[in-house]
Amino acid sequence: MTDVLHSSPPGVGAWDRVVRDLADDLAMDAVERDRAGAPPFDETARLRESGLLAALTVPPGTERDPSWEDACAVVRAIAVADSSVAELLARHHVLSRAGHFLGSPERAFPPGPRTGDRAWLLAGDLGAGSVAESARLRHGSLTITPIRGGYVLNGRRRLATGVPVADRLVLGAVCSATGDTRVVLVDPDVEGVETEPLPEHERAGQRAGGAGLVDFQDVTLGPEALLGVVEGDGYRRAPSAGLAPLATALMLVQVALGTAEGALAEARDAILAGHRVHLPDTLDDDPVGEPTEEADLLHTWGELATSLHVASTVADRAGAAMGAALRRGVRLTAADRAEVAVLVATTEAVVAEAVPRITARVTELADTPDLDRHWRNARLLIGRGSAARRFRDIGSHFLYPSRGVPADPG
Protein backbone atom coordinates (compact mmCIF):
# COMPACT_ATOMS: atom_id res chain seq x y z
CA MET A 1 0.00 0.00 0.00
CA THR A 2 1.31 3.43 -0.95
CA ASP A 3 2.28 5.59 2.02
CA VAL A 4 -0.08 8.46 1.28
CA LEU A 5 1.18 10.55 4.16
CA HIS A 6 4.54 11.11 2.54
CA SER A 7 3.44 11.68 -1.03
CA SER A 8 0.89 13.82 -2.78
CA PRO A 9 -2.53 12.94 -1.39
CA PRO A 10 -4.55 10.84 -3.82
CA GLY A 11 -7.96 11.84 -5.04
CA VAL A 12 -10.87 9.51 -4.49
CA GLY A 13 -10.19 7.97 -7.88
CA ALA A 14 -6.89 6.58 -6.64
CA TRP A 15 -8.74 4.81 -3.83
CA ASP A 16 -11.85 3.70 -5.72
CA ARG A 17 -10.82 0.06 -5.85
CA VAL A 18 -9.64 -0.02 -2.23
CA VAL A 19 -12.86 1.56 -0.98
CA ARG A 20 -15.01 -0.67 -3.15
CA ASP A 21 -13.20 -3.83 -2.04
CA LEU A 22 -13.42 -2.90 1.64
CA ALA A 23 -17.10 -1.97 1.33
CA ASP A 24 -17.85 -5.31 -0.36
CA ASP A 25 -15.95 -7.14 2.36
CA LEU A 26 -17.80 -5.32 5.15
CA ALA A 27 -21.19 -5.85 3.50
CA MET A 28 -20.75 -9.62 3.48
CA ASP A 29 -21.06 -9.95 7.27
CA ALA A 30 -22.55 -6.60 8.28
CA VAL A 31 -25.78 -8.17 9.56
CA GLU A 32 -23.99 -10.75 11.69
CA ARG A 33 -21.65 -8.17 13.20
CA ASP A 34 -24.54 -5.82 13.94
CA ARG A 35 -26.37 -8.60 15.76
CA ALA A 36 -23.27 -9.49 17.78
CA GLY A 37 -22.51 -5.90 18.76
CA ALA A 38 -18.94 -6.92 19.62
CA PRO A 39 -15.98 -4.52 19.98
CA PRO A 40 -14.65 -3.56 16.53
CA PHE A 41 -11.27 -5.30 16.71
CA ASP A 42 -11.82 -7.09 13.40
CA GLU A 43 -13.22 -3.99 11.74
CA THR A 44 -10.23 -1.92 12.84
CA ALA A 45 -7.88 -4.54 11.44
CA ARG A 46 -9.68 -4.37 8.09
CA LEU A 47 -9.31 -0.57 8.04
CA ARG A 48 -5.59 -0.84 8.75
CA GLU A 49 -5.04 -3.53 6.16
CA SER A 50 -6.87 -1.55 3.48
CA GLY A 51 -4.69 1.53 4.11
CA LEU A 52 -7.70 3.80 4.58
CA LEU A 53 -6.91 4.49 8.23
CA ALA A 54 -3.57 5.99 7.21
CA ALA A 55 -5.09 7.68 4.16
CA LEU A 56 -7.63 9.54 6.31
CA THR A 57 -5.07 10.65 8.88
CA VAL A 58 -3.98 14.27 8.51
CA PRO A 59 -0.22 14.49 9.22
CA PRO A 60 1.16 17.27 11.42
CA GLY A 61 2.72 20.42 10.01
CA THR A 62 2.02 19.73 6.34
CA GLU A 63 -0.43 20.71 3.67
CA ARG A 64 -0.13 17.33 1.95
CA ASP A 65 -3.23 15.97 3.60
CA PRO A 66 -6.26 14.16 2.20
CA SER A 67 -8.78 16.70 1.00
CA TRP A 68 -11.93 17.14 3.04
CA GLU A 69 -14.09 16.35 0.02
CA ASP A 70 -12.20 13.10 -0.64
CA ALA A 71 -12.51 12.05 2.99
CA CYS A 72 -16.27 12.66 2.89
CA ALA A 73 -16.62 10.55 -0.24
CA VAL A 74 -14.67 7.66 1.30
CA VAL A 75 -16.67 7.75 4.53
CA ARG A 76 -19.99 7.79 2.70
CA ALA A 77 -18.99 4.86 0.47
CA ILE A 78 -18.05 2.80 3.52
CA ALA A 79 -21.31 3.80 5.26
CA VAL A 80 -23.34 2.25 2.45
CA ALA A 81 -21.92 -1.10 3.55
CA ASP A 82 -21.45 -0.57 7.30
CA SER A 83 -22.36 2.66 9.06
CA SER A 84 -20.62 1.68 12.32
CA VAL A 85 -17.25 1.31 10.63
CA ALA A 86 -17.86 4.49 8.65
CA GLU A 87 -18.52 6.46 11.84
CA LEU A 88 -15.35 5.05 13.39
CA LEU A 89 -13.36 6.25 10.36
CA ALA A 90 -15.22 9.58 10.14
CA ARG A 91 -14.52 10.57 13.72
CA HIS A 92 -10.91 9.44 13.39
CA HIS A 93 -10.44 11.76 10.42
CA VAL A 94 -11.90 14.79 12.20
CA LEU A 95 -9.82 14.12 15.31
CA SER A 96 -6.65 13.82 13.23
CA ARG A 97 -7.25 17.47 12.26
CA ALA A 98 -7.32 18.58 15.91
CA GLY A 99 -4.06 20.51 15.77
CA HIS A 100 -5.17 22.31 12.61
CA PHE A 101 -8.50 23.32 14.18
CA LEU A 102 -6.71 24.61 17.26
CA GLY A 103 -4.06 26.58 15.41
CA SER A 104 -1.17 24.24 16.22
CA PRO A 105 -0.84 21.88 13.22
CA GLU A 106 2.75 21.05 14.08
CA ARG A 107 1.50 19.56 17.37
CA ALA A 108 -1.22 17.39 15.89
CA PHE A 109 0.67 14.34 17.15
CA PRO A 110 3.80 13.82 19.21
CA PRO A 111 6.39 11.41 17.77
CA GLY A 112 4.78 8.03 17.23
CA PRO A 113 3.39 5.69 14.60
CA ARG A 114 1.40 7.53 11.98
CA THR A 115 1.83 5.71 8.71
CA GLY A 116 1.02 2.47 6.96
CA ASP A 117 -0.46 -0.38 8.96
CA ARG A 118 0.74 1.26 12.17
CA ALA A 119 -1.41 4.38 11.85
CA TRP A 120 -2.97 5.33 15.15
CA LEU A 121 -6.73 4.97 15.40
CA LEU A 122 -8.08 8.03 17.19
CA ALA A 123 -11.22 8.23 19.29
CA GLY A 124 -12.50 11.04 21.44
CA ASP A 125 -14.33 14.33 21.61
CA LEU A 126 -12.64 17.66 21.01
CA GLY A 127 -14.97 19.46 23.38
CA ALA A 128 -13.96 22.64 21.61
CA GLY A 129 -17.01 23.58 19.69
CA SER A 130 -19.30 25.97 21.43
CA VAL A 131 -20.55 27.72 24.50
CA ALA A 132 -23.07 24.90 24.94
CA GLU A 133 -20.35 22.29 24.72
CA SER A 134 -18.16 24.14 27.21
CA ALA A 135 -21.09 24.32 29.62
CA ARG A 136 -21.65 20.59 29.25
CA LEU A 137 -18.02 19.93 30.04
CA ARG A 138 -18.17 22.12 33.13
CA HIS A 139 -21.05 20.11 34.50
CA GLY A 140 -19.09 17.08 35.53
CA SER A 141 -17.20 15.68 32.54
CA LEU A 142 -13.43 16.08 32.31
CA THR A 143 -11.18 18.48 34.20
CA ILE A 144 -7.49 19.09 33.66
CA THR A 145 -5.24 20.60 36.33
CA PRO A 146 -1.85 22.14 35.53
CA ILE A 147 1.02 20.81 37.66
CA ARG A 148 4.78 21.23 37.51
CA GLY A 149 5.90 19.60 34.29
CA GLY A 150 2.47 18.76 32.88
CA TYR A 151 -1.16 18.12 33.79
CA VAL A 152 -3.47 15.80 35.71
CA LEU A 153 -6.68 14.61 34.04
CA ASN A 154 -9.78 13.51 35.96
CA GLY A 155 -13.37 12.70 35.10
CA ARG A 156 -15.54 10.50 32.97
CA ARG A 157 -16.42 10.72 29.29
CA ARG A 158 -18.87 8.83 27.10
CA LEU A 159 -17.54 8.30 23.58
CA ALA A 160 -19.51 7.31 20.49
CA THR A 161 -16.86 5.11 18.88
CA GLY A 162 -13.55 3.36 19.33
CA VAL A 163 -13.35 2.98 23.11
CA PRO A 164 -11.91 -0.57 23.16
CA VAL A 165 -9.73 -0.20 20.06
CA ALA A 166 -8.34 3.35 20.02
CA ASP A 167 -4.57 3.81 20.04
CA ARG A 168 -4.96 7.37 21.33
CA LEU A 169 -7.78 9.48 22.74
CA VAL A 170 -8.21 13.12 21.73
CA LEU A 171 -10.19 14.87 24.46
CA GLY A 172 -11.31 18.34 25.46
CA ALA A 173 -11.23 19.05 29.19
CA VAL A 174 -11.97 22.16 31.22
CA CYS A 175 -8.90 23.62 32.89
CA SER A 176 -9.48 23.95 36.64
CA ALA A 177 -7.22 27.01 36.77
CA THR A 178 -8.48 29.08 33.84
CA GLY A 179 -11.83 27.67 32.72
CA ASP A 180 -10.58 27.29 29.15
CA THR A 181 -11.02 24.05 27.24
CA ARG A 182 -7.71 22.25 26.70
CA VAL A 183 -7.45 19.51 24.11
CA VAL A 184 -5.05 16.71 24.96
CA LEU A 185 -3.80 13.45 23.49
CA VAL A 186 -4.04 10.51 25.91
CA ASP A 187 -2.69 6.98 25.72
CA PRO A 188 -5.60 4.78 26.88
CA ASP A 189 -3.15 2.19 28.25
CA VAL A 190 -1.56 4.47 30.87
CA GLU A 191 -2.24 4.09 34.57
CA GLY A 192 -5.49 5.61 35.75
CA VAL A 193 -7.51 5.07 32.55
CA GLU A 194 -10.40 2.59 32.72
CA THR A 195 -12.81 1.77 29.89
CA GLU A 196 -16.10 -0.09 29.67
CA PRO A 197 -18.65 -0.68 26.88
CA LEU A 198 -22.06 0.93 26.99
CA PRO A 199 -24.79 -1.29 28.43
CA GLU A 200 -26.64 -3.40 25.89
CA HIS A 201 -29.86 -1.38 26.22
CA GLU A 202 -28.04 1.83 25.24
CA ARG A 203 -26.74 0.43 21.93
CA ALA A 204 -29.85 0.28 19.79
CA GLY A 205 -27.89 1.47 16.74
CA GLN A 206 -24.29 1.70 15.50
CA ARG A 207 -23.68 -1.44 17.53
CA ALA A 208 -20.28 -2.31 16.06
CA GLY A 209 -18.69 1.11 16.57
CA GLY A 210 -17.20 0.51 20.01
CA ALA A 211 -19.15 3.11 22.00
CA GLY A 212 -18.27 3.19 25.67
CA LEU A 213 -17.30 5.02 28.83
CA VAL A 214 -13.81 6.13 29.81
CA ASP A 215 -12.81 7.01 33.38
CA PHE A 216 -9.72 9.07 34.21
CA GLN A 217 -8.39 8.99 37.75
CA ASP A 218 -5.40 11.23 38.35
CA VAL A 219 -3.93 10.53 34.92
CA THR A 220 -0.59 12.33 34.59
CA LEU A 221 0.15 13.92 31.22
CA GLY A 222 3.36 15.54 30.01
CA PRO A 223 3.39 18.98 28.36
CA GLU A 224 3.67 17.34 24.93
CA ALA A 225 0.13 15.94 25.39
CA LEU A 226 -1.41 19.38 24.92
CA LEU A 227 -2.71 19.85 21.37
CA GLY A 228 -4.24 23.27 21.86
CA VAL A 229 -6.37 25.59 23.95
CA VAL A 230 -9.81 26.97 23.17
CA GLU A 231 -9.73 30.37 24.81
CA GLY A 232 -12.76 32.32 25.93
CA ASP A 233 -16.33 31.86 24.85
CA GLY A 234 -17.87 31.24 21.44
CA TYR A 235 -17.47 34.88 20.39
CA ARG A 236 -13.79 35.34 21.20
CA ARG A 237 -12.17 32.08 20.18
CA ALA A 238 -10.30 31.60 16.91
CA PRO A 239 -12.62 30.94 13.94
CA SER A 240 -10.71 27.74 13.09
CA ALA A 241 -11.67 26.21 16.46
CA GLY A 242 -15.30 26.86 15.61
CA LEU A 243 -14.95 24.58 12.59
CA ALA A 244 -14.37 21.49 14.76
CA PRO A 245 -18.00 20.74 15.69
CA LEU A 246 -19.15 21.67 12.19
CA ALA A 247 -16.69 19.18 10.71
CA THR A 248 -17.93 16.44 13.03
CA ALA A 249 -21.53 17.22 12.10
CA LEU A 250 -20.79 17.08 8.38
CA MET A 251 -18.95 13.78 8.70
CA LEU A 252 -21.90 12.28 10.57
CA VAL A 253 -24.17 13.60 7.82
CA GLN A 254 -22.11 11.62 5.32
CA VAL A 255 -22.48 8.50 7.45
CA ALA A 256 -26.25 9.05 7.68
CA LEU A 257 -26.59 9.58 3.92
CA GLY A 258 -24.56 6.44 3.26
CA THR A 259 -26.83 4.57 5.67
CA ALA A 260 -29.91 5.67 3.71
CA GLU A 261 -28.24 4.74 0.44
CA GLY A 262 -27.39 1.30 1.84
CA ALA A 263 -30.97 0.82 3.01
CA LEU A 264 -32.32 1.62 -0.45
CA ALA A 265 -29.83 -0.73 -2.11
CA GLU A 266 -30.59 -3.60 0.27
CA ALA A 267 -34.36 -3.13 -0.10
CA ARG A 268 -34.03 -3.00 -3.89
CA ASP A 269 -32.09 -6.28 -3.92
CA ALA A 270 -34.72 -7.90 -1.70
CA ILE A 271 -37.58 -6.74 -3.94
CA LEU A 272 -35.83 -7.90 -7.10
CA ALA A 273 -35.16 -11.25 -5.43
CA GLY A 274 -38.89 -11.74 -4.94
CA HIS A 275 -39.46 -10.71 -1.34
CA ARG A 276 -42.98 -9.51 -0.61
CA VAL A 277 -43.57 -5.80 -1.07
CA HIS A 278 -45.83 -3.75 1.22
CA LEU A 279 -47.21 -0.89 -0.82
CA PRO A 280 -48.94 2.33 0.27
CA ASP A 281 -52.59 3.02 -0.40
CA THR A 282 -53.38 3.39 -4.10
CA LEU A 283 -52.56 6.83 -5.44
CA ASP A 284 -55.96 8.08 -6.65
CA ASP A 285 -54.48 11.18 -8.23
CA ASP A 286 -51.99 9.32 -10.42
CA PRO A 287 -51.66 11.64 -13.46
CA VAL A 288 -50.35 9.02 -15.88
CA GLY A 289 -53.20 6.53 -15.93
CA GLU A 290 -54.94 4.00 -13.76
CA PRO A 291 -53.00 3.27 -10.58
CA THR A 292 -51.42 -0.14 -10.40
CA GLU A 293 -49.30 -1.96 -7.87
CA GLU A 294 -46.26 -1.35 -10.07
CA ALA A 295 -47.08 2.36 -10.38
CA ASP A 296 -47.39 2.69 -6.62
CA LEU A 297 -44.03 0.99 -6.10
CA LEU A 298 -42.32 3.17 -8.70
CA HIS A 299 -43.88 6.33 -7.26
CA THR A 300 -42.73 5.47 -3.73
CA TRP A 301 -39.27 4.49 -4.86
CA GLY A 302 -38.90 7.63 -6.95
CA GLU A 303 -39.96 9.78 -4.02
CA LEU A 304 -37.38 8.19 -1.72
CA ALA A 305 -34.59 8.37 -4.29
CA THR A 306 -35.36 12.03 -4.97
CA SER A 307 -35.31 12.84 -1.26
CA LEU A 308 -31.89 11.22 -0.92
CA HIS A 309 -30.58 13.06 -3.98
CA VAL A 310 -31.73 16.44 -2.66
CA ALA A 311 -30.16 15.80 0.76
CA SER A 312 -26.92 14.69 -0.88
CA THR A 313 -26.76 17.80 -3.03
CA VAL A 314 -27.19 20.07 -0.01
CA ALA A 315 -24.53 18.09 1.88
CA ASP A 316 -22.10 18.37 -1.05
CA ARG A 317 -22.45 22.14 -1.06
CA ALA A 318 -21.77 22.32 2.68
CA GLY A 319 -18.84 19.94 2.28
CA ALA A 320 -17.30 22.10 -0.42
CA ALA A 321 -17.62 25.16 1.82
CA MET A 322 -15.97 23.27 4.68
CA GLY A 323 -13.13 22.16 2.43
CA ALA A 324 -12.53 25.74 1.32
CA ALA A 325 -12.58 26.95 4.94
CA LEU A 326 -10.06 24.31 6.01
CA ARG A 327 -7.74 25.29 3.18
CA ARG A 328 -7.82 28.93 4.32
CA GLY A 329 -6.10 27.91 7.53
CA VAL A 330 -5.02 30.90 9.62
CA ARG A 331 -6.62 33.23 7.05
CA LEU A 332 -10.09 31.99 8.04
CA THR A 333 -12.35 34.77 9.31
CA ALA A 334 -15.39 34.75 11.57
CA ALA A 335 -17.52 35.53 8.50
CA ASP A 336 -16.09 32.48 6.71
CA ARG A 337 -16.97 30.28 9.66
CA ALA A 338 -20.48 31.74 9.85
CA GLU A 339 -21.05 30.91 6.19
CA VAL A 340 -20.04 27.31 6.79
CA ALA A 341 -22.21 27.17 9.93
CA VAL A 342 -25.40 28.15 8.13
CA LEU A 343 -24.74 25.60 5.38
CA VAL A 344 -24.14 22.90 7.99
CA ALA A 345 -27.36 23.85 9.77
CA THR A 346 -29.24 23.65 6.46
CA THR A 347 -27.74 20.25 5.72
CA GLU A 348 -28.59 18.91 9.17
CA ALA A 349 -32.19 20.09 8.82
CA VAL A 350 -32.64 18.44 5.43
CA VAL A 351 -30.93 15.20 6.44
CA ALA A 352 -32.79 15.01 9.78
CA GLU A 353 -36.05 14.91 7.82
CA ALA A 354 -34.99 12.78 4.84
CA VAL A 355 -32.87 9.97 6.26
CA PRO A 356 -35.20 8.66 9.02
CA ARG A 357 -38.10 8.74 6.55
CA ILE A 358 -36.14 6.86 3.89
CA THR A 359 -34.82 4.19 6.24
CA ALA A 360 -38.22 3.70 7.90
CA ARG A 361 -40.07 3.51 4.57
CA VAL A 362 -37.82 0.89 3.00
CA THR A 363 -38.22 -1.23 6.15
CA GLU A 364 -41.96 -1.15 5.52
CA LEU A 365 -41.64 -1.74 1.79
CA ALA A 366 -39.42 -4.82 1.68
CA ASP A 367 -40.33 -7.81 3.79
CA THR A 368 -36.79 -8.88 4.69
CA PRO A 369 -35.12 -9.41 8.08
CA ASP A 370 -32.57 -7.00 9.56
CA LEU A 371 -33.43 -4.13 7.21
CA ASP A 372 -34.54 -2.17 10.26
CA ARG A 373 -30.92 -1.81 11.42
CA HIS A 374 -30.50 1.06 8.92
CA TRP A 375 -33.31 2.98 10.60
CA ARG A 376 -31.86 2.30 14.07
CA ASN A 377 -28.43 3.44 12.94
CA ALA A 378 -29.81 6.58 11.29
CA ARG A 379 -31.75 7.61 14.39
CA LEU A 380 -28.65 7.31 16.55
CA LEU A 381 -26.50 9.24 14.08
CA ILE A 382 -28.96 12.11 13.77
CA GLY A 383 -29.60 12.08 17.51
CA ARG A 384 -30.57 15.38 19.05
CA GLY A 385 -29.98 17.39 15.87
CA SER A 386 -33.67 17.75 15.07
CA ALA A 387 -34.80 19.52 11.93
CA ALA A 388 -36.99 21.92 13.95
CA ARG A 389 -34.05 23.21 15.96
CA ARG A 390 -31.91 23.78 12.91
CA PHE A 391 -34.77 25.51 11.05
CA ARG A 392 -34.99 27.95 13.96
CA ASP A 393 -31.23 28.55 13.80
CA ILE A 394 -31.42 29.20 10.06
CA GLY A 395 -34.42 31.51 10.47
CA SER A 396 -32.60 33.47 13.16
CA HIS A 397 -29.56 33.82 10.90
CA PHE A 398 -31.53 35.31 8.03
CA LEU A 399 -33.88 37.45 10.12
CA TYR A 400 -31.24 38.64 12.61
CA PRO A 401 -27.83 38.25 10.92
CA SER A 402 -25.99 39.85 13.84
CA ARG A 403 -26.84 36.87 16.04
CA GLY A 404 -24.92 34.46 13.85
CA VAL A 405 -25.46 30.70 13.78
CA PRO A 406 -24.76 28.58 16.86
CA ALA A 407 -21.45 26.73 16.55
CA ASP A 408 -22.92 23.71 18.28
CA PRO A 409 -24.49 21.72 15.42
CA GLY A 410 -27.73 20.15 16.51
Side-chain angles (χ1 to χ4, degrees), residues 31-157:
V31 171
E32 291 76 12
R33 288 184 292 102
D34 177 76
R35 289 175 182 168
F41 293 108
D42 176 61
E43 291 86 344
T44 301
R46 297 190 207 187
L47 285 174
R48 291 190 194 283
E49 184 178 359
S50 72
L52 288 181
L53 188 62
L56 265 66
T57 299
V58 179
T62 177
E63 296 181 357
R64 298 198 306 267
D65 58 15
S67 80
W68 174 259
E69 294 86 347
D70 287 356
C72 287
V74 169
V75 164
R76 179 166 173 179
I78 298 300
V80 174
D82 190 316
S83 60
S84 292
V85 177
E87 185 182 2
L88 193 71
L89 188 61
R91 291 184 182 274
H92 161 84
H93 178 71
V94 174
L95 292 169
S96 78
R97 292 182 177 272
H100 297 256
F101 288 132
L102 300 171
S104 54
E106 73 287 348
R107 301 184 68 181
F109 298 101
R114 294 190 297 266
T115 61
D117 290 343
R118 298 304 308 157
W120 277 339
L121 173 64
L122 304 175
D125 177 0
L126 289 174
S130 65
V131 177
E133 179 70 1
S134 295
R136 183 180 68 80
L137 291 174
R138 287 187 174 88
H139 285 86
S141 196
L142 297 184
T143 59
I144 188 168
T145 302
I147 60 173
R148 184 184 297 273
Y151 306 92
V152 174
L153 184 66
N154 281 284
R156 184 175 177 88
R157 179 65 61 84

Side-chain angles (χ1 to χ4, degrees), residues 62-288:
T62 177
E63 296 181 357
R64 298 198 306 267
D65 58 15
S67 80
W68 174 259
E69 294 86 347
D70 287 356
C72 287
V74 169
V75 164
R76 179 166 173 179
I78 298 300
V80 174
D82 190 316
S83 60
S84 292
V85 177
E87 185 182 2
L88 193 71
L89 188 61
R91 291 184 182 274
H92 161 84
H93 178 71
V94 174
L95 292 169
S96 78
R97 292 182 177 272
H100 297 256
F101 288 132
L102 300 171
S104 54
E106 73 287 348
R107 301 184 68 181
F109 298 101
R114 294 190 297 266
T115 61
D117 290 343
R118 298 304 308 157
W120 277 339
L121 173 64
L122 304 175
D125 177 0
L126 289 174
S130 65
V131 177
E133 179 70 1
S134 295
R136 183 180 68 80
L137 291 174
R138 287 187 174 88
H139 285 86
S141 196
L142 297 184
T143 59
I144 188 168
T145 302
I147 60 173
R148 184 184 297 273
Y151 306 92
V152 174
L153 184 66
N154 281 284
R156 184 175 177 88
R157 179 65 61 84
R158 173 175 173 156
L159 300 179
T161 61
V163 168
V165 295
D167 297 294
R168 293 294 185 274
L169 302 174
V170 181
L171 300 161
V174 173
C175 179
S176 61
T178 65
D180 294 332
T181 298
R182 304 201 174 191
V183 180
V184 291
L185 189 73
V186 183
D187 183 346
D189 293 328
V190 300
E191 184 178 356
V193 181
E194 299 288 340
T195 64
E196 61 180 280
L198 288 183
E200 184 75 18
H201 69 274
E202 292 191 36
R203 294 187 293 121
Q206 297 296 88
R207 292 171 50 81
L213 301 168
V214 189
D215 276 306
F216 303 90
Q217 298 182 14
D218 294 328
V219 177
T220 302
L221 304 175
E224 74 283 353
L226 182 67
L227 299 182
V229 179
V230 182
E231 298 180 352
D233 62 24
Y235 299 97
R236 295 201 305 269
R237 68 168 179 272
S240 59
L243 290 178
L246 303 177
T248 300
L250 278 182
M251 270 297 175
L252 294 183
V253 158
Q254 292 298 332
V255 180
L257 289 171
T259 301
E261 188 175 337
L264 280 170
E266 191 171 330
R268 177 197 61 212
D269 292 345
I271 291 171
L272 295 180
H275 285 261
R276 187 174 57 169
V277 177
H278 300 281
L279 291 168
D281 294 335
T282 300
L283 303 174
D284 294 330
D285 59 348
D286 185 350
V288 293

